[in-house]
Short mmCIF file of all heavy atoms in Angstrom, two decimals:
data_model
loop_
_atom_site.label_atom_id
_atom_site.label_comp_id
_atom_site.label_asym_id
_atom_site.label_seq_id
_atom_site.Cartn_x
_atom_site.Cartn_y
_atom_site.Cartn_z
N GLU D 217 16.34 11.61 7.38
CA GLU D 217 16.01 12.88 8.09
C GLU D 217 14.60 12.83 8.54
O GLU D 217 13.67 12.23 7.95
CB GLU D 217 16.19 14.03 7.10
CG GLU D 217 15.93 15.38 7.62
CD GLU D 217 16.09 16.47 6.60
OE1 GLU D 217 17.16 16.54 6.00
OE2 GLU D 217 15.08 17.16 6.36
N GLY D 218 14.34 13.35 9.77
CA GLY D 218 12.99 13.42 10.31
C GLY D 218 12.65 12.20 11.22
O GLY D 218 13.54 11.58 11.76
N LYS D 219 11.39 11.91 11.31
CA LYS D 219 10.91 10.83 12.15
C LYS D 219 9.84 10.01 11.44
O LYS D 219 9.03 10.50 10.75
CB LYS D 219 10.23 11.49 13.40
CG LYS D 219 9.93 10.51 14.53
CD LYS D 219 9.32 11.30 15.77
CE LYS D 219 9.10 10.33 16.92
NZ LYS D 219 8.58 11.09 18.07
N VAL D 220 9.96 8.69 11.64
CA VAL D 220 9.19 7.72 10.86
C VAL D 220 8.55 6.71 11.84
O VAL D 220 9.30 6.23 12.74
CB VAL D 220 9.96 7.02 9.78
CG1 VAL D 220 9.27 5.77 9.26
CG2 VAL D 220 10.28 7.90 8.65
N ALA D 221 7.29 6.39 11.72
CA ALA D 221 6.67 5.30 12.43
C ALA D 221 6.52 4.06 11.52
O ALA D 221 5.94 4.24 10.39
CB ALA D 221 5.29 5.73 12.99
N VAL D 222 7.03 2.92 11.96
CA VAL D 222 6.92 1.70 11.13
C VAL D 222 6.02 0.72 11.84
O VAL D 222 6.17 0.43 13.01
CB VAL D 222 8.26 1.10 10.96
CG1 VAL D 222 8.16 -0.15 10.04
CG2 VAL D 222 9.24 2.07 10.29
N LEU D 223 5.01 0.20 11.08
CA LEU D 223 4.08 -0.81 11.62
C LEU D 223 3.98 -2.02 10.70
O LEU D 223 4.30 -1.85 9.49
CB LEU D 223 2.63 -0.23 11.78
CG LEU D 223 2.40 1.01 12.65
CD1 LEU D 223 2.65 2.29 11.85
CD2 LEU D 223 1.03 1.00 13.20
N GLU D 224 3.57 -3.10 11.22
CA GLU D 224 3.24 -4.27 10.38
C GLU D 224 2.02 -3.86 9.58
O GLU D 224 1.17 -3.18 10.04
CB GLU D 224 2.97 -5.50 11.28
CG GLU D 224 2.84 -6.77 10.54
CD GLU D 224 1.41 -7.01 10.06
OE1 GLU D 224 0.49 -6.66 10.76
OE2 GLU D 224 1.22 -7.64 8.92
N LYS D 225 2.03 -4.33 8.31
CA LYS D 225 1.03 -3.85 7.36
C LYS D 225 -0.44 -3.97 7.85
O LYS D 225 -1.16 -2.96 7.80
CB LYS D 225 1.16 -4.62 6.08
CG LYS D 225 0.21 -4.20 5.00
CD LYS D 225 0.51 -4.94 3.70
CE LYS D 225 -0.45 -4.59 2.60
NZ LYS D 225 -0.22 -5.38 1.37
N TYR D 226 -0.83 -5.10 8.39
CA TYR D 226 -2.18 -5.26 8.77
C TYR D 226 -2.32 -5.32 10.29
O TYR D 226 -3.21 -5.94 10.89
CB TYR D 226 -2.80 -6.64 8.20
CG TYR D 226 -2.83 -6.56 6.72
CD1 TYR D 226 -2.13 -7.60 6.03
CD2 TYR D 226 -3.48 -5.68 5.98
CE1 TYR D 226 -2.16 -7.61 4.61
CE2 TYR D 226 -3.53 -5.62 4.62
CZ TYR D 226 -2.87 -6.60 3.89
OH TYR D 226 -2.85 -6.66 2.57
N SER D 227 -1.46 -4.56 10.99
CA SER D 227 -1.40 -4.57 12.47
C SER D 227 -2.78 -4.09 13.01
O SER D 227 -3.26 -3.01 12.66
CB SER D 227 -0.32 -3.71 12.95
OG SER D 227 -0.38 -3.54 14.34
N ARG D 228 -3.40 -4.88 13.89
CA ARG D 228 -4.61 -4.48 14.60
C ARG D 228 -4.26 -4.00 16.04
O ARG D 228 -5.08 -3.36 16.67
CB ARG D 228 -5.59 -5.62 14.70
CG ARG D 228 -5.88 -6.33 13.39
CD ARG D 228 -6.53 -5.40 12.39
NE ARG D 228 -7.86 -5.01 12.73
CZ ARG D 228 -8.56 -4.18 11.99
NH1 ARG D 228 -8.05 -3.65 10.91
NH2 ARG D 228 -9.78 -3.83 12.43
N SER D 229 -3.08 -4.27 16.49
CA SER D 229 -2.67 -3.85 17.78
C SER D 229 -2.13 -2.48 17.86
O SER D 229 -2.12 -1.84 18.94
CB SER D 229 -1.58 -4.86 18.34
OG SER D 229 -0.38 -4.72 17.60
N GLY D 230 -1.64 -1.96 16.75
CA GLY D 230 -1.09 -0.60 16.72
C GLY D 230 0.33 -0.56 17.15
O GLY D 230 0.95 0.54 17.25
N LYS D 231 0.99 -1.72 17.38
CA LYS D 231 2.38 -1.74 17.73
C LYS D 231 3.25 -1.13 16.62
O LYS D 231 3.08 -1.40 15.47
CB LYS D 231 2.84 -3.16 17.98
CG LYS D 231 4.35 -3.28 18.43
CD LYS D 231 4.71 -4.75 18.63
CE LYS D 231 6.17 -4.86 18.99
NZ LYS D 231 6.60 -6.26 19.18
N GLU D 232 4.17 -0.25 17.02
CA GLU D 232 5.00 0.41 16.08
C GLU D 232 6.42 0.67 16.55
O GLU D 232 6.65 0.55 17.76
CB GLU D 232 4.39 1.82 15.64
CG GLU D 232 4.31 2.79 16.84
CD GLU D 232 3.65 4.09 16.43
OE1 GLU D 232 2.74 4.07 15.56
OE2 GLU D 232 4.02 5.13 17.02
N VAL D 233 7.29 0.90 15.62
CA VAL D 233 8.72 1.29 15.96
C VAL D 233 8.97 2.66 15.39
O VAL D 233 8.67 2.94 14.27
CB VAL D 233 9.70 0.23 15.30
CG1 VAL D 233 11.13 0.76 15.40
CG2 VAL D 233 9.53 -1.09 15.91
N MET D 234 9.48 3.54 16.25
CA MET D 234 9.81 4.87 15.85
C MET D 234 11.22 4.97 15.44
O MET D 234 12.16 4.55 16.17
CB MET D 234 9.51 5.87 16.98
CG MET D 234 8.07 5.93 17.43
SD MET D 234 6.89 6.35 16.06
CE MET D 234 7.50 7.98 15.64
N LEU D 235 11.48 5.58 14.26
CA LEU D 235 12.85 5.72 13.77
C LEU D 235 13.14 7.22 13.53
O LEU D 235 12.28 7.98 13.12
CB LEU D 235 12.99 4.99 12.36
CG LEU D 235 12.67 3.52 12.34
CD1 LEU D 235 12.91 3.01 10.92
CD2 LEU D 235 13.52 2.73 13.31
N THR D 236 14.37 7.58 13.80
CA THR D 236 14.81 8.94 13.57
C THR D 236 16.08 8.87 12.69
O THR D 236 16.46 7.77 12.26
CB THR D 236 15.12 9.70 14.86
OG1 THR D 236 16.08 8.93 15.66
CG2 THR D 236 13.91 9.91 15.70
N LYS D 237 16.75 9.99 12.47
CA LYS D 237 17.84 10.10 11.54
C LYS D 237 18.92 9.03 11.79
O LYS D 237 19.40 8.80 12.90
CB LYS D 237 18.51 11.45 11.68
CG LYS D 237 19.72 11.67 10.73
CD LYS D 237 20.23 13.08 10.90
CE LYS D 237 21.45 13.31 9.96
NZ LYS D 237 22.00 14.65 10.10
N GLY D 238 19.27 8.31 10.66
CA GLY D 238 20.26 7.31 10.74
C GLY D 238 19.84 5.92 11.19
O GLY D 238 20.57 4.97 11.17
N MET D 239 18.53 5.79 11.56
CA MET D 239 18.07 4.51 12.08
C MET D 239 17.40 3.64 10.99
O MET D 239 16.98 4.19 10.00
CB MET D 239 17.01 4.75 13.19
CG MET D 239 17.63 5.46 14.40
SD MET D 239 16.37 5.81 15.73
CE MET D 239 16.02 4.15 16.31
N THR D 240 17.42 2.35 11.22
CA THR D 240 16.92 1.40 10.22
C THR D 240 15.98 0.43 10.91
O THR D 240 16.01 0.19 12.16
CB THR D 240 18.02 0.59 9.50
OG1 THR D 240 18.65 -0.25 10.47
CG2 THR D 240 19.01 1.51 8.83
N CYS D 241 15.12 -0.23 10.13
CA CYS D 241 14.17 -1.24 10.65
C CYS D 241 13.84 -2.21 9.57
O CYS D 241 13.79 -1.91 8.39
CB CYS D 241 12.91 -0.52 11.22
SG CYS D 241 11.68 -1.60 11.86
N THR D 242 13.55 -3.46 10.01
CA THR D 242 13.03 -4.46 9.05
C THR D 242 11.72 -5.00 9.59
O THR D 242 11.49 -4.99 10.75
CB THR D 242 14.02 -5.64 8.86
OG1 THR D 242 14.23 -6.25 10.18
CG2 THR D 242 15.33 -5.16 8.33
N VAL D 243 10.83 -5.43 8.65
CA VAL D 243 9.58 -6.07 8.95
C VAL D 243 9.52 -7.34 8.12
O VAL D 243 9.62 -7.32 6.90
CB VAL D 243 8.38 -5.16 8.55
CG1 VAL D 243 7.11 -5.84 9.01
CG2 VAL D 243 8.56 -3.77 9.22
N ASP D 244 9.37 -8.50 8.87
CA ASP D 244 9.37 -9.77 8.14
C ASP D 244 7.97 -10.22 7.74
O ASP D 244 6.98 -9.51 8.00
CB ASP D 244 10.13 -10.87 8.95
CG ASP D 244 9.38 -11.20 10.30
OD1 ASP D 244 8.17 -10.93 10.37
OD2 ASP D 244 10.05 -11.74 11.23
N ARG D 245 7.90 -11.42 7.17
CA ARG D 245 6.63 -11.93 6.63
C ARG D 245 5.51 -12.08 7.66
O ARG D 245 4.34 -12.05 7.31
CB ARG D 245 6.87 -13.22 5.89
CG ARG D 245 7.73 -13.07 4.64
CD ARG D 245 7.92 -14.42 3.98
NE ARG D 245 8.83 -14.41 2.87
CZ ARG D 245 8.56 -14.10 1.62
NH1 ARG D 245 7.28 -13.76 1.34
NH2 ARG D 245 9.45 -14.04 0.73
N ILE D 246 5.91 -12.35 8.97
CA ILE D 246 4.89 -12.55 9.94
C ILE D 246 4.69 -11.37 10.80
O ILE D 246 4.04 -11.41 11.88
CB ILE D 246 5.23 -13.83 10.80
CG1 ILE D 246 6.58 -13.60 11.51
CG2 ILE D 246 5.16 -15.07 9.97
CD1 ILE D 246 6.90 -14.80 12.48
N GLY D 247 5.30 -10.21 10.43
CA GLY D 247 5.01 -8.95 11.15
C GLY D 247 5.96 -8.59 12.24
O GLY D 247 5.70 -7.64 12.93
N ASN D 248 7.10 -9.28 12.37
CA ASN D 248 8.07 -8.91 13.41
C ASN D 248 8.78 -7.66 12.96
O ASN D 248 9.30 -7.56 11.84
CB ASN D 248 9.07 -10.05 13.62
CG ASN D 248 8.39 -11.29 14.24
OD1 ASN D 248 7.57 -11.13 15.14
ND2 ASN D 248 8.75 -12.46 13.76
N LEU D 249 8.92 -6.71 13.90
CA LEU D 249 9.61 -5.46 13.67
C LEU D 249 10.94 -5.45 14.43
O LEU D 249 10.96 -5.71 15.62
CB LEU D 249 8.77 -4.21 14.13
CG LEU D 249 7.57 -3.82 13.20
CD1 LEU D 249 6.45 -4.79 13.44
CD2 LEU D 249 7.12 -2.41 13.57
N ARG D 250 12.04 -5.10 13.71
CA ARG D 250 13.35 -5.18 14.35
C ARG D 250 14.18 -4.01 13.94
O ARG D 250 14.29 -3.73 12.76
CB ARG D 250 14.09 -6.45 14.00
CG ARG D 250 13.51 -7.73 14.52
CD ARG D 250 14.41 -8.95 14.28
NE ARG D 250 13.91 -10.15 14.85
CZ ARG D 250 13.06 -10.96 14.22
NH1 ARG D 250 12.67 -10.73 13.00
NH2 ARG D 250 12.66 -12.12 14.81
N LYS D 251 14.65 -3.26 14.89
CA LYS D 251 15.55 -2.17 14.60
C LYS D 251 16.95 -2.69 14.22
O LYS D 251 17.38 -3.68 14.78
CB LYS D 251 15.69 -1.25 15.81
CG LYS D 251 14.53 -0.35 16.09
CD LYS D 251 14.81 0.61 17.17
CE LYS D 251 13.58 1.58 17.42
NZ LYS D 251 13.92 2.53 18.54
N GLY D 252 17.59 -2.04 13.26
CA GLY D 252 18.92 -2.39 12.85
C GLY D 252 19.98 -1.49 13.31
O GLY D 252 19.76 -0.58 14.19
N GLU D 253 21.22 -1.67 12.80
CA GLU D 253 22.36 -0.86 13.19
C GLU D 253 22.13 0.59 12.68
O GLU D 253 21.52 0.81 11.61
CB GLU D 253 23.65 -1.43 12.66
CG GLU D 253 24.09 -2.69 13.34
CD GLU D 253 25.52 -3.13 12.84
OE1 GLU D 253 26.06 -2.36 12.07
OE2 GLU D 253 25.86 -4.20 13.29
N THR D 254 22.72 1.57 13.39
CA THR D 254 22.66 2.92 12.90
C THR D 254 23.52 3.07 11.62
O THR D 254 24.64 2.52 11.57
CB THR D 254 23.20 3.90 14.00
OG1 THR D 254 22.36 3.75 15.13
CG2 THR D 254 23.16 5.32 13.52
N MET D 255 22.98 3.78 10.65
CA MET D 255 23.68 3.98 9.35
C MET D 255 24.85 4.95 9.47
O MET D 255 24.74 5.94 10.23
CB MET D 255 22.77 4.43 8.27
CG MET D 255 21.63 3.46 7.92
SD MET D 255 20.59 4.10 6.63
CE MET D 255 19.94 5.56 7.45
N ASN D 256 25.97 4.65 8.77
CA ASN D 256 27.09 5.65 8.69
C ASN D 256 27.07 6.34 7.38
O ASN D 256 27.84 7.28 7.17
CB ASN D 256 28.38 4.91 8.86
CG ASN D 256 28.56 4.36 10.31
OD1 ASN D 256 28.52 5.12 11.31
ND2 ASN D 256 28.61 3.05 10.43
N THR D 257 26.24 5.88 6.46
CA THR D 257 26.15 6.61 5.11
C THR D 257 24.69 6.84 4.84
O THR D 257 23.77 6.27 5.46
CB THR D 257 26.71 5.65 4.00
OG1 THR D 257 25.94 4.44 3.98
CG2 THR D 257 28.16 5.39 4.22
N LYS D 258 24.44 7.73 3.89
CA LYS D 258 23.09 8.05 3.50
C LYS D 258 22.47 6.89 2.75
O LYS D 258 23.12 6.25 1.96
CB LYS D 258 23.07 9.33 2.63
CG LYS D 258 23.37 10.61 3.42
CD LYS D 258 23.24 11.85 2.53
CE LYS D 258 23.51 13.06 3.35
NZ LYS D 258 23.31 14.30 2.50
N PRO D 259 21.21 6.65 2.98
CA PRO D 259 20.55 5.52 2.22
C PRO D 259 20.34 5.96 0.76
O PRO D 259 20.40 7.14 0.38
CB PRO D 259 19.18 5.38 2.87
CG PRO D 259 18.92 6.73 3.52
CD PRO D 259 20.23 7.25 3.87
N ALA D 260 20.03 4.94 -0.06
CA ALA D 260 19.74 5.16 -1.51
C ALA D 260 20.89 5.95 -2.22
O ALA D 260 20.61 7.03 -2.80
CB ALA D 260 18.43 5.91 -1.68
N VAL D 261 22.08 5.41 -2.15
CA VAL D 261 23.16 6.05 -2.82
C VAL D 261 22.97 6.16 -4.31
O VAL D 261 23.60 7.00 -5.00
CB VAL D 261 24.53 5.34 -2.54
CG1 VAL D 261 24.87 5.46 -1.09
CG2 VAL D 261 24.37 3.87 -2.94
N TRP D 262 22.08 5.35 -4.86
CA TRP D 262 21.84 5.33 -6.27
C TRP D 262 21.13 6.63 -6.75
O TRP D 262 20.95 6.84 -7.95
CB TRP D 262 20.96 4.09 -6.71
CG TRP D 262 19.86 3.80 -5.72
CD1 TRP D 262 19.93 2.82 -4.71
CD2 TRP D 262 18.55 4.39 -5.65
NE1 TRP D 262 18.71 2.81 -4.07
CE2 TRP D 262 17.88 3.76 -4.58
CE3 TRP D 262 17.97 5.41 -6.37
CZ2 TRP D 262 16.57 4.08 -4.26
CZ3 TRP D 262 16.63 5.75 -6.00
CH2 TRP D 262 15.96 5.14 -4.97
N ARG D 263 20.70 7.49 -5.81
CA ARG D 263 20.10 8.79 -6.21
C ARG D 263 21.06 9.65 -6.95
O ARG D 263 20.67 10.44 -7.82
CB ARG D 263 19.52 9.50 -4.98
CG ARG D 263 18.30 9.03 -4.41
CD ARG D 263 17.95 9.77 -3.13
NE ARG D 263 18.85 9.50 -2.00
CZ ARG D 263 18.95 10.28 -1.00
NH1 ARG D 263 18.32 11.41 -0.89
NH2 ARG D 263 19.83 9.95 -0.02
N ASN D 264 22.34 9.60 -6.59
CA ASN D 264 23.37 10.42 -7.21
C ASN D 264 24.18 9.55 -8.11
O ASN D 264 24.92 8.69 -7.67
CB ASN D 264 24.25 11.09 -6.16
CG ASN D 264 25.19 12.11 -6.74
OD1 ASN D 264 25.64 11.93 -7.90
ND2 ASN D 264 25.44 13.19 -6.07
N ALA D 265 24.05 9.74 -9.40
CA ALA D 265 24.70 8.86 -10.35
C ALA D 265 26.16 8.96 -10.38
O ALA D 265 26.91 8.12 -10.92
CB ALA D 265 24.12 9.11 -11.77
N ASP D 266 26.76 10.05 -9.89
CA ASP D 266 28.14 10.29 -9.93
C ASP D 266 28.98 10.10 -8.65
O ASP D 266 30.06 9.51 -8.57
CB ASP D 266 28.42 11.72 -10.49
CG ASP D 266 27.85 11.96 -11.88
OD1 ASP D 266 27.91 10.99 -12.70
OD2 ASP D 266 27.34 13.01 -12.07
N LEU D 267 28.37 10.57 -7.55
CA LEU D 267 29.03 10.60 -6.27
C LEU D 267 28.71 9.37 -5.39
O LEU D 267 27.51 9.04 -5.23
CB LEU D 267 28.72 11.86 -5.50
CG LEU D 267 29.58 12.16 -4.26
CD1 LEU D 267 31.04 12.27 -4.59
CD2 LEU D 267 29.03 13.41 -3.56
#
Side-chain angles (χ1 to χ4, degrees):
E217 181 182 302
K219 190 175 183 180
V220 164
V222 181
L223 301 88
E224 188 271 327
K225 181 177 178 181
Y226 297 120
S227 175
R228 309 299 291 180
S229 65
K231 181 181 178 182
E232 63 183 32
V233 170
M234 297 302 299
L235 305 179
T236 55
K237 182 178 180 179
M239 298 177 69
T240 67
C241 179
T242 60
V243 184
D244 65 22
R245 294 180 186 273
I246 59 175
N248 293 318
L249 286 75
R250 294 187 176 89
K251 286 187 179 181
E253 292 186 1
T254 301
M255 297 181 295
N256 293 299
T257 57
K258 291 184 177 182
V261 293
W262 40 262
R263 282 178 290 161
N264 189 323
D266 299 324
L267 189 62

